[in-house]
Amino acid sequence: MPSLKSYLVAFVLKHTRKKAFASPEGLHAWIVKSRKTQDHRPPVEVAGRVAVTQRQVDGHVVYEVRPKDGEATRRVLYLHGGAYCFEITSFHWRLIAEMCERLSAHISVPVYPLAPEHDFHAIFGMGAAVYRDVMAAADEVAVMGDSAGGNMALVLTLMAAEEGWKLPSRLVLISPGVDMTLTNDETRRAALLDPWLDIPGGMEAVRIYAAELDFSDWRISPSYGELSVLPPTLIFSGTRDLLYPDTVVFAEKARAAGAEVELVTGKGMIHVWPLIDMPETRIARDRMVEFLRGDDAVPAGHSISSSPSASEPAFPTARLARSRSRK
């Protein structure tokens, strides 16, 4: 069964943040409110754990996070979520610090421009510039992203394949937005169970950043892109997340295209649950570290998959809700 902490988090979100996504007006009201208080700087506790410097790309900050003691042996690009409308939070920073410490990783964290003040072109103009910088700096670079950041990680990967840029060595996606049309009937049913996200506000968030692009364009909805180019990919998604049904479809499409994909299903978990401090999070983060270390490299021509079934254990368990299968 899901932990008591997970139920408490869901209860609080349902009575606070759900309002931001219940309507277009609610989303804009929350954006206005957040602009007065949000601060992209890492919290003091994080700054005390890791070495943080910053630089500018296209007039926007990029944080460079390195281990406080010892040399970095891995390179990671982290793209934060927030519906392309909200700033990086302390939850993101704590995950980044942990990955930095446990992987001895140098992690680049772009503070990309946000909608509605900016649109797709500005957001991905800056994002692509950072992506290319980081890719040029190391032989292998893993890309991580949550929610909108997971969407950005996928779009940048597909963009890189189309433009002939270097591809990531691995992808870690936490509750990614993969099909922003939100037209799947299962998605509409999932919205009723989601204590955080909802369709009206979600569609408004897409509208204000998508510019002139159709919602089914792969640059907005990477599920419609050429998925065969994806590197080994680890995805986390919870069954109480309205994005979950389309994530299952995405994983199936990617595997059918020949990509190596592992989908970790959090039974009863909410949107971006691996960012939140609760018992289930430890298991998820351990899996991230294992995957990014390459401790269980997938044999060529095989894929790792997971989908909900009656035989799968409820999360959390001694192992993750995942299974291996041959294509």
Side-chain angles (χ1 to χ4, degrees), residues 163-186:
E163 297 294 333
W165 306 338
K166 185 177 175 180
L167 294 175
S169 59
R170 292 195 169 210
L171 292 176
V172 175
L173 311 174
I174 303 169
S175 302
V178 294
D179 184 349
M180 305 319 299
T181 65
L182 301 182
T183 54
N184 185 341
D185 287 341
E186 291 298 321

Side-chain angles (χ1 to χ4, degrees), residues 83-237:
Y84 287 115
C85 301
F86 302 103
E87 198 54 88
I88 188 171
T89 70
S90 60
F91 295 100
H92 298 106
W93 278 117
R94 291 186 191 106
L95 173 62
I96 290 165
E98 181 174 333
M99 293 298 107
C100 175
E101 292 171 330
R102 297 182 68 183
L103 294 166
S104 296
H106 172 183
I107 305 179
S108 297
V109 185
V111 181
Y112 53 81
L114 301 175
E117 296 90 342
H118 306 275
D119 65 12
F120 172 90
H121 302 293
I123 294 169
F124 277 86
M126 189 265 187
V130 175
Y131 174 94
R132 296 180 72 176
D133 282 351
V134 175
M135 288 295 162
D139 292 336
E140 291 191 356
V141 178
V143 178
M144 299 179 67
D146 68 277
S147 194
N151 174 281
M152 180 180 274
L154 284 167
V155 171
L156 285 172
T157 300
L158 299 179
M159 194 179 291
E162 184 170 88
E163 297 294 333
W165 306 338
K166 185 177 175 180
L167 294 175
S169 59
R170 292 195 169 210
L171 292 176
V172 175
L173 311 174
I174 303 169
S175 302
V178 294
D179 184 349
M180 305 319 299
T181 65
L182 301 182
T183 54
N184 185 341
D185 287 341
E186 291 298 321
T187 297
R188 297 185 177 278
R189 282 189 280 272
L192 301 176
L193 301 175
D194 191 321
W196 187 347
L197 305 181
D198 210 338
I199 291 176
M203 295 295 286
E204 178 65 4
V206 179
R207 185 191 71 79
I208 62 178
Y209 91 83
E212 77 286 355
L213 299 175
D214 190 89
F215 289 9
S216 62
D217 189 301
W218 64 263
R219 290 169 290 181
I220 303 299
S221 297
S223 189
Y224 300 104
E226 180 47 71
L227 303 185
S228 64
V229 305
L230 297 180
T233 300
L234 173 64
I235 307 174
F236 294 86
S237 190

Side-chain angles (χ1 to χ4, degrees), residues 16-34 86 200-202 204:
T16 56
R17 293 301 297 272
K18 183 82 172 182
K19 298 175 184 178
F21 290 93
S23 68
E25 296 77 16
L27 179 76
H28 284 281
W30 201 275
I31 291 172
V32 170
K33 180 180 179 181
S34 71
F86 302 103
E204 178 65 4

